[in-house]
Amino acid sequence: MRSLLLLLLPVAVSVCSSCDNAPSPADRDATKETVTLFRSLYKLQNNGIMYGHQDDLMYGRTWWYEKDRSDTKDFTGDYPAVAGFELGHLELSRERSLDSVNFAQIAEQIKVHYKRGGVITLSWHADNPLTMQIPDTSARPRRTHGTAWDVSSKEVVASILPGGKNHEIFNTRLERLAGFFAGLKDNNGAPIPFIFRPYHEHSGSFFWWGTSICTDEEYAALWRYTVEFLRDKKGLHNILYAYNTDRVTSLEQYMRGYPGDDVIDMLSLDMYDRGEQFGRELDTALNFVTSEALKRKKLTALSETGGRRGMDNWWSAVLLPVVSKYPVGYVLTWRHTYMPRGFPARPGMPPVQMPARPFPDDFMNFYNSPRTLFLKEIQEEDIYKRK
Ligand code: BMA
């Protein structure tokens, strides 16, 4: 039996590497589960839109890390298909993220969500590796000093690339990230596949990797260096890489700084509803982003979005009709910031209380739509094909 298997093995491998036309991760050495996840998601994006929620498994506005708790589940009875987690400050070896979430608990919930059969996506609001080393000498200390949002220097990306004066600092940061990623294993020791979305919203200029803070070439080099570090140097083959921009109005604008099909697995877009024109703008952008993704055999997502203030039926009247037109893999809404005492109001004023329920009633229309997929529906699809 063993000799038969040995004989068959090279055949099986060559059959697979010759199935060129099957959509595959950019990483040619991606683990079996990662390849299976990629293919499942590629197929699934034509059938329905998964719902994702950032930090859903970690906290809600009034609760903090309770076993098996989730705002999505509290409200609909099911977990989100996609669970988002944030890595900011992992690069500094901190125990907790910039949102005070414990990294060991994040790793725990990644394992739990994977076991349940859900999709995992990780974002990274990395501190500014250049300005965080310099004391803030401005007259009024800036809240953003040294953070991901510190855009006071245009040298930062160049300074961390090979040859730059902060290159070793950057390597140390990537090393720490790689250490965390290497620990993401299931009970059998197999690496857990996940979607990694660093350096996000490149078309905006509010992060140190933003479009007017570095050149397109520097941005692409930053991406390539990161992937090569994690994939080739650290031997991590369980990562699907998501390219991402903020609001864009043309494909040309979207692709500025794109590092290449050989490092990217997903073309994703972040767009929040800031008013009337949102539906039209989202429609235009999803049209060109998703058709470009399919042309390149990549995954797609509306990887961050959020409703318009004061609008009761945003989920069913604005979001759903637009995303339903396109092969969008998932839509993810951002975290429900933990604020048990309410929003901080102006000094001397009482805090503004949180809404009693985590989602508006209209979220149920989104949940009940035959177009949307939550965890149970994903479980039926068995996206990792584990035995
Ligand atoms: C932002 C905000 C911040 C948070 C960051 C990372 O969009 O929610 O408060 O620190 O994401 O999660």
Side-chain angles (χ1 to χ4, degrees):
M1 185 61 183
R2 173 178 286 191
S3 56
L4 185 63
L5 269 180
L6 284 176
L7 273 176
L8 282 175
L9 199 60
V11 177
V13 169
S14 77
V15 165
C16 198
S17 56
S18 73
C19 43
D20 287 340
N21 281 332
S24 302
D27 180 356
R28 293 286 147 207
D29 297 319
T31 65
K32 186 168 128 294
E33 291 78 6
T34 311
V35 175
T36 309
L37 172 65
F38 184 94
R39 293 191 175 147
S40 298
L41 296 183
Y42 194 80
K43 212 169 98 199
L44 213 53
Q45 65 194 7
N46 287 311
N47 303 344
I49 302 146
M50 295 187 286
Y51 174 63
H53 188 210
Q54 185 73 359
D55 279 349
D56 189 84
L57 307 177
M58 307 312 295
Y59 56 84
R61 293 186 180 110
T62 55
W63 59 272
W64 189 265
Y65 203 56
E66 292 177 22
K67 188 169 162 35
D68 298 334
R69 190 153 180 197
S70 137
D71 271 355
T72 307
K73 182 161 169 281
D74 278 3
F75 198 78
T76 67
D78 197 3
Y79 288 104
V82 180
F85 302 91
E86 164 62 32
L87 303 177
H89 288 185
L90 185 66
E91 75 281 3
L92 308 177
S93 269
R94 299 260 172 88
E95 199 177 313
R96 289 172 180 273
S97 75
L98 76 167
D99 302 318
S100 309
V101 185
N102 182 296
F103 286 118
Q105 291 174 343
I106 290 181
E108 197 50 47
Q109 289 308 308
I110 288 174
K111 286 173 202 175
V112 168
H113 196 64
Y114 177 64
K115 198 166 174 196
R116 286 185 191 127
V119 178
I120 292 130
T121 177
L122 308 182
S123 53
W124 186 28
H125 290 72
D127 267 11
N128 186 316
L130 187 148
T131 59
M132 65 173 296
Q133 301 176 59
I134 310 166
D136 187 3
T137 51
S138 43
R140 292 173 74 216
R142 289 172 303 126
R143 226 170 22 95
T144 55
H145 181 79
T147 69
W149 292 266
D150 188 339
V151 291
S152 59
S153 165
K154 297 197 177 188
E155 307 300 314
V156 53
V157 175
S159 87
I160 59 176
L161 289 173
K165 67 173 189 300
N166 292 314
H167 185 55
E168 277 318 309
I169 292 178
F170 185 51
N171 281 342
T172 305
R173 289 169 159 224
L174 290 178
E175 195 71 52
R176 289 168 179 158
L177 228 56
F180 180 81
F181 291 165
L184 300 176
K185 298 213 167 115
D186 70 8
N187 290 342
N188 303 319
I192 297 176
F194 60 89
I195 299 163
F196 183 37
R197 190 173 60 94
Y199 318 130
H200 63 302
E201 302 179 357
H202 175 236
S203 61
S205 291
F206 31 80
F207 295 122
W208 55 259
W209 53 84
T211 191
S212 65
I213 320 301
C214 62
T215 67
D216 294 341
E217 293 71 29
E218 284 165 354
Y219 182 76
L222 175 69
W223 250 110
R224 296 194 72 86
Y225 187 83
T226 304
V227 175
E228 283 160 14
F229 189 100
L230 298 172
R231 184 192 61 195
D232 306 337
K233 193 157 173 226
K234 305 312 289 183
L236 295 164
H237 298 292
N238 53 329
I239 309 179
L240 297 176
Y241 293 93
Y243 175 76
N244 178 252
T245 72
D246 191 51
R247 181 179 308 264
V248 279
T249 53
S250 70
L251 180 61
E252 192 201 355
Q253 186 192 6
Y254 180 79
M255 297 303 281
R256 283 185 54 177
Y258 183 70
D261 286 349
D262 58 332
V263 289
I264 293 296
D265 296 295
M266 171 182 275
L267 301 193
S268 69
L269 177 76
D270 287 7
M271 257 176 91
Y272 286 84
D273 190 335
R274 305 276 185 240
E276 285 291 309
Q277 70 298 349
F278 172 78
R280 262 192 333 272
E281 286 180 0
L282 181 68
D283 196 318
T284 307
L286 284 180
N287 193 347
F288 60 71
V289 170
T290 56
S291 55
E292 189 65 19
L294 295 200
K295 220 162 79 190
R296 294 168 186 265
K297 293 215 170 84
K298 301 296 180 191
L299 305 174
T300 66
L302 178 58
S303 43
E304 283 187 43
T305 188
R308 199 178 315 166
R309 221 161 263 180
M311 192 168 179
D312 294 339
N313 58 350
W314 180 80
W315 291 90
S316 62
V318 179
L319 182 67
L320 195 54
V322 179
V323 292
S324 298
K325 288 172 70 176
Y326 302 105
V328 175
Y330 68 82
V331 302
L332 179 143
T333 51
W334 206 240
R335 69 202 196 99
H336 291 166
T337 311
Y338 177 68
M339 282 188 184
R341 282 179 292 280
F343 287 100
R346 265 184 265 274
M349 302 274 284
V352 180
Q353 281 314 309
M354 296 293 161
R357 307 174 75 207
F359 293 94
D361 289 342
D362 185 47
F363 186 63
M364 282 312 280
N365 295 324
F366 180 83
Y367 172 75
N368 286 324
S369 161
R371 292 285 294 137
T372 58
L373 306 169
F374 283 63
L375 184 72
K376 281 179 197 149
E377 287 140 316
I378 296 302
Q379 287 171 331
E380 280 165 28
E381 296 289 330
D382 189 14
I383 57 176
Y384 300 102
K385 312 266 179 278
R386 291 168 297 199
K387 295 268 156 52

